[in-house]
Amino acid sequence: MAALGALRTMTSTAGTSYTLIPNQKYRRSNRRSRQRCNILDTDSQSLSTLGYFKTLPLEIFQMVLNYLSVKDISTLSMVSKTISNRLINYISTPSGNRRLLLQDFHNLELPGKREGSYLLEHYKSLGLLLKRCTLLLPTKDRLKYIHKILSEVSCFKLNGCPSPLHCLGLQCYGVFLQILTAGWDELECHRVFNFLCELSNLPRKVQTVVSSKPGSARKLELRIRLYCRSVLLNHWIHRSDSAFWLTRILKPWPMVNQARLLYIIFGPKMIEGPTDETSLKGLADAIKLLYDTEASEWTADDVISLVDELSVVPREWLMENNARLLILSGNNICFTFMASKAVNGRAVELARLMVFLALVCEKDLYCMDWAVKMMQKVCKVFNTPGKRNNFLQCVENAFAHLIMDMLQAVLSGDRDEEDSSFLNLFHLVNTQASFHKEILYLTMGSNSNADRILAAGTQV
């Protein structure tokens, strides 16, 4: 019995020790199993965000993407962060690059497509895709990643394409950037502009052309024109956005260089004779853009000074071209420009400009009463009757001098194939007649006694 009791005691002791040790091991293994469960939970959450794609190997997932349009892929990127990361990896692969970075920029007549519109639409969709894929990244990291993706496309670079006039690359880059940065705040857009300047070395290239003799760096001027217009300016919907980017291009430079740069980007090819309104429209639109309230960094004086500087870039303009640019720039800019000359006592120069405004109205078939009403408005700027009368006398003298100069050119017999000297005289004489006719209409219409006098004369 004693032995049996001892055996029971040993068994209970052994049983106690046996049950204690596994309990301790169980507690330790429980902690480890929890860690393993957390890892498995994380993996399962990551996989669960892939939806049905979690059953596909990565290679098959990327093969599926080849059957989706770029718009569909950009929509897919919004499903989850995990899918977005997979798409970022796909874009970086050689097959993703070949699929997404189309580079048929010089073949504008693609089969079944219309003049490269397919390429532009493709890069709009690509801009939206990369906008969504990089949504959670800081602006600096977004730009670095996007540059890494696009850096191999030579036609996206300022000096990258050997035939820039026949290339759609910069336009595709422009629509891509417009979609990418749409809705970004001003500070982020400043960073984008600085980033682009660093990549393209734009400030140094601008410094080269604005400090050199006009025409001495024509190829570089052309590349700057194409890059600024196609990448930075042409694709914005809202005028405030266009004003922002144009301001970024111009503002770092002194006024004289701003005028030169504005001419490089928008100006017509300078010719010896008058240019047409189509050639000046881009320049006039840019001036109106800076004058509007959307361009908060520009004052009216800034814009008028810029217009004044433009009149000698790249060399002194014909007065007719000056007048045509002012008319295209709109009533407010035209009047403000003329009023500044009136205030500064430049009556002779102002009178000559007034004659050419009337001449442009005659040539381009604008209403002549506009020119008369503009002169009437300018007359009110002169603070004394004497100054106003002097200005009116200067207008008449300007008409007389110009007619005599043109008549002398006709009598000299130096005529070209188009007989332009006689044609110019013809237009100027017609201008003077139409201008004074409108003045008579205005004067007689405002005189309450005129009708009564004429009526009395008729009765007699």
Side-chain angles (χ1 to χ4, degrees), residues 104-283:
D104 226 344
F105 302 124
H106 301 92
N107 185 13
L108 302 186
E109 296 288 347
L110 296 174
K113 309 298 176 184
R114 210 173 137 192
E115 297 182 357
S117 60
Y118 169 73
L119 272 176
L120 294 173
E121 289 300 320
H122 173 82
Y123 275 95
K124 284 182 182 180
S125 300
L126 183 61
L128 184 60
L129 170 59
L130 291 180
K131 183 189 189 84
R132 289 172 170 174
C133 283
T134 61
L135 190 63
L136 300 178
L137 296 177
T139 301
K140 185 177 180 180
D141 295 337
R142 295 176 89 172
L143 294 174
K144 284 184 177 179
Y145 169 74
I146 290 166
H147 169 62
K148 181 181 177 182
I149 297 298
L150 303 182
S151 60
E152 298 303 318
V153 184
S154 61
C155 290
F156 286 173
K157 300 173 183 177
L158 192 149
N159 283 326
C161 180
S163 181
L165 285 174
H166 305 94
C167 179
L168 208 63
L170 291 179
Q171 292 185 53
C172 289
Y173 192 31
V175 298
F176 171 87
L177 286 174
Q178 188 268 324
I179 295 296
L180 176 72
T181 59
W184 289 18
D185 63 34
E186 195 169 291
L187 179 60
E188 289 176 315
C189 291
H190 271 279
R191 289 173 178 154
V192 173
F193 180 76
N194 292 336
F195 187 78
L196 292 173
C197 284
E198 185 178 345
L199 290 181
S200 62
N201 205 10
L202 182 63
R204 177 168 292 185
K205 290 178 170 61
V206 169
Q207 176 66 50
T208 299
V209 297
V210 298
S211 60
S212 61
K213 186 178 178 181
S216 62
R218 290 182 180 178
K219 290 184 179 179
L220 184 55
E221 288 182 1
L222 174 62
R223 289 190 179 274
I224 290 173
R225 180 188 181 98
L226 293 174
Y227 187 85
C228 289
R229 292 182 67 160
S230 299
V231 176
L232 300 176
L233 298 172
N234 281 358
H235 306 290
W236 297 104
I237 299 172
H238 303 294
R239 290 177 60 80
S240 57
D241 291 324
S242 300
F244 171 84
W245 291 98
L246 183 56
T247 300
R248 300 282 70 75
I249 295 170
L250 297 179
K251 271 298 183 179
W253 305 98
M255 184 65 69
V256 61
N257 291 341
Q258 287 179 14
R260 176 82 180 276
L261 185 52
L262 193 65
Y263 187 87
I264 288 171
I265 298 172
F266 294 106
K269 179 181 178 181
M270 183 54 68
I271 57 177
E272 295 297 329
T275 189
D276 58 23
E277 61 180 34
T278 303
S279 301
L280 291 170
K281 188 178 185 304
L283 199 56

Side-chain angles (χ1 to χ4, degrees), residues 347-348 351-352 355 389-399 401:
V348 175
R352 185 175 168 82
V355 170
N389 292 338
N390 177 62
F391 165 65
L392 294 175
Q393 182 63 56
C394 289
V395 171
E396 294 305 315
N397 291 342
F399 266 117
H401 291 156

Side-chain angles (χ1 to χ4, degrees), residues 2 16 102 110 120 136 185 297 350 367 377 389 425 434 438:
T16 303
L102 303 181
L110 296 174
L120 294 173
L136 300 178
D185 63 34
E297 297 176 58
L350 178 59
C367 294
K377 192 175 180 180
N389 292 338
L425 177 61
S434 298
E438 293 297 334

